[in-house]
Amino acid sequence: MSPETAPMDAPSQAGSPVVPGRGTGSHEVTVRVPATSANLGPGYDCLGLCLDLWDEVSVSVFDGRGVEIDVTGEGEHTIARDESHLVIATIRRALADLGHPDPRCGLMLHAHNRIAQSRGLGSSAAAIVAGLALGWGIARPGQPLDRDWALAVATQIEGHPDNAAPAIFGGAQLSWLDGDSASAADVISHASGARESISVSAVHHVDLEIDPRIHPVVFVPQRRVPTSAARAVMPHSVPHDDAVRQVLSACLLVTSLSHHPEHLMAATQDWLHQPFRRDLMPESADLIDQLRACGVPAVISGAGSTVLALGTTDQLAGVAGADTRDFAVHQVGFGAGVQLHA
Ligand SMILES: Nc1ncnc2c1ncn2[C@@H]1O[C@H](COP(=O)(O)OP(=O)(O)OP(=O)(O)O)[C@@H](O)[C@H]1O
Ligand SMILES: N[C@@H](CCO)C(=O)O
């Protein structure tokens, strides 16, 4: 395999704090939370995998009210430094859910982000999962994270479980909601119209084996595509013929990932979301066309704009035939689920 590669920012050792604690009145809680790639072509809103690329976040509680937020790395010039910061907002949600006596407590947060935002690498799911794990660490110090609880709450916040499941459980995950609801928003509105909590038993996931011959490569462009914009262009219905082809592709992807990488080209075809999102990310759509023409199984990662190639060394050799100059190319490897140190 010979794609142009750039070194990833090496993660620090698990368990080492991001920065020395400055909080007063509480010990520091630290999490490492991974990037994820959802959809994988035909698995819209239900398939996702975890990448070996991590945000590291620590928090401590101080006496009084308010927040102090320090961000380095991705988003250091753009991310909010107030209560609207997604990790902070989610910590408070977790504290309330877990019956902490003071969910409005003062919070000091340090984040070192490596996951590019609004590029289809699950940055929002990572921030939500980080917030839930940190909230758990504050409210339940020393207890192992209840990952099923985290998945249910993350799904309610994010609306779909396909990034949250691998961010929490690692590897590749198939995830879904009970009943005929496609999204958490449906579950909420069907329930009563109010924002009720999704019951933990309403969100499901299964681990999918990944054939050791398969490797991921990500091609990250400069263009940002907010997930909300990418979901706004989705049609309400698709032709039956396309739905039939999608079923085959999605089924084939599950078995190709686990045991039959030779079928990954056919298994990564999609008729449900990528065609409708092309105009939002023309460079990425063009790169996918080039890569697939060279025999590389390539898809839009999540809602875009990153391109994900998933293949064997032989399949990935085709990357050399594509023009990747406008993309940062990383051979990342597969990751594990969120790590909490409380
Ligand atoms: N580390 C972070 N800290 C705080 N907020 C974050 C962080 N990462 C993401 N966010 C919030 O989430 C937004 C990006 O979420 P969005 O759903 O658009 O993209 P994504 O999650 O990166 O992509 P995808 O869902 O397609 O994988 C950012 O604009 C920011 O508001
Ligand atoms: N399944 C989601 C992933 C991004 O959050 C989508 O494609 O919109």
Side-chain angles (χ1 to χ4, degrees):
M1 147 182 201
S2 59
E4 179 195 347
T5 58
M8 301 302 295
D9 187 5
S12 68
Q13 290 299 304
S16 63
V18 179
V19 287
R22 291 184 297 171
T24 59
S26 98
H27 71 291
E28 190 171 66
V29 180
T30 300
V31 297
R32 299 177 74 227
V33 61
T36 49
S37 181
N39 300 330
L40 314 182
Y44 183 73
D45 276 1
C46 62
L47 281 174
L49 54 77
C50 187
L51 297 167
D52 189 16
L53 170 66
W54 303 78
D55 283 352
E56 297 182 342
V57 194
S58 65
V59 72
S60 44
V61 175
F62 62 82
D63 294 336
R65 290 283 179 262
V67 288
E68 284 186 35
I69 300 174
D70 172 42
V71 178
T72 56
E74 295 288 343
E76 66 179 89
H77 302 300
T78 53
I79 279 182
R81 303 298 207 274
D82 56 24
E83 293 284 347
S84 70
H85 186 286
L86 189 51
V87 179
I88 290 285
T90 310
I91 292 173
R92 298 212 186 280
R93 163 71 189 268
L95 294 178
D97 252 49
L98 296 168
H100 187 273
D102 185 14
R104 307 306 306 168
C105 57
L107 293 172
M108 183 178 292
L109 183 119
H110 301 278
H112 182 57
N113 300 331
R114 299 187 183 86
I115 308 170
Q117 288 127 29
S118 297
R119 314 290 168 78
L121 291 170
S123 72
S124 55
I128 291 164
V129 170
L132 293 172
L134 290 168
W136 181 275
I138 294 169
R140 304 265 197 278
Q143 289 185 30
L145 175 65
D146 181 341
R147 290 172 192 258
D148 293 319
W149 166 81
L151 179 61
V153 183
T155 301
Q156 181 167 27
I157 297 171
E158 180 102 312
H160 40 90
D162 49 340
N163 288 105
I168 292 166
F169 295 99
Q173 299 286 332
L174 177 60
S175 53
W176 71 98
L177 295 163
D178 266 348
D180 57 4
S181 302
S183 76
D186 290 343
V187 173
I188 294 160
S189 56
H190 288 169
S192 69
R195 287 194 67 82
E196 293 176 356
S197 292
I198 296 179
S199 108
V200 169
S201 59
V203 189
H204 307 272
H205 74 101
V206 289
D207 292 319
L208 300 177
E209 202 179 325
I210 304 177
D211 189 302
R213 292 169 290 177
I214 298 175
H215 308 284
V217 182
V218 291
F219 305 77
V220 187
Q222 285 297 315
R223 183 190 291 271
R224 288 168 166 258
V225 178
T227 302
S228 53
R231 293 182 83 82
V233 299
M234 298 296 282
H236 290 293
S237 60
V238 294
H240 190 265
D241 285 354
D242 288 349
V244 171
R245 290 191 285 184
Q246 189 85 7
V247 170
L248 180 271
S249 196
C251 292
L252 192 55
L253 180 56
V254 171
T255 189
S256 300
L257 261 184
S258 300
H259 302 295
H260 291 288
E262 69 276 15
H263 297 309
L264 276 170
M265 279 298 288
T268 47
Q269 296 179 98
D270 165 71
W271 291 270
L272 211 52
H273 69 105
Q274 293 182 180
F276 309 104
R277 292 171 161 175
R278 278 192 80 97
D279 291 349
L280 293 175
M281 49 195 104
E283 310 86 0
S284 305
D286 178 62
L287 178 60
I288 288 177
D289 292 345
Q290 288 186 56
L291 288 167
R292 294 188 71 87
C294 295
V296 181
V299 298
I300 289 293
S301 179
S305 53
T306 290
V307 171
L308 170 74
L310 264 185
T312 61
T313 302
D314 283 351
Q315 289 166 328
L316 294 174
V319 170
D323 179 1
T324 60
R325 276 175 298 182
D326 293 335
F327 295 78
V329 185
H330 303 292
Q331 298 177 52
V332 277
F334 295 111
V338 61
Q339 298 169 356
L340 168 65
H341 304 282

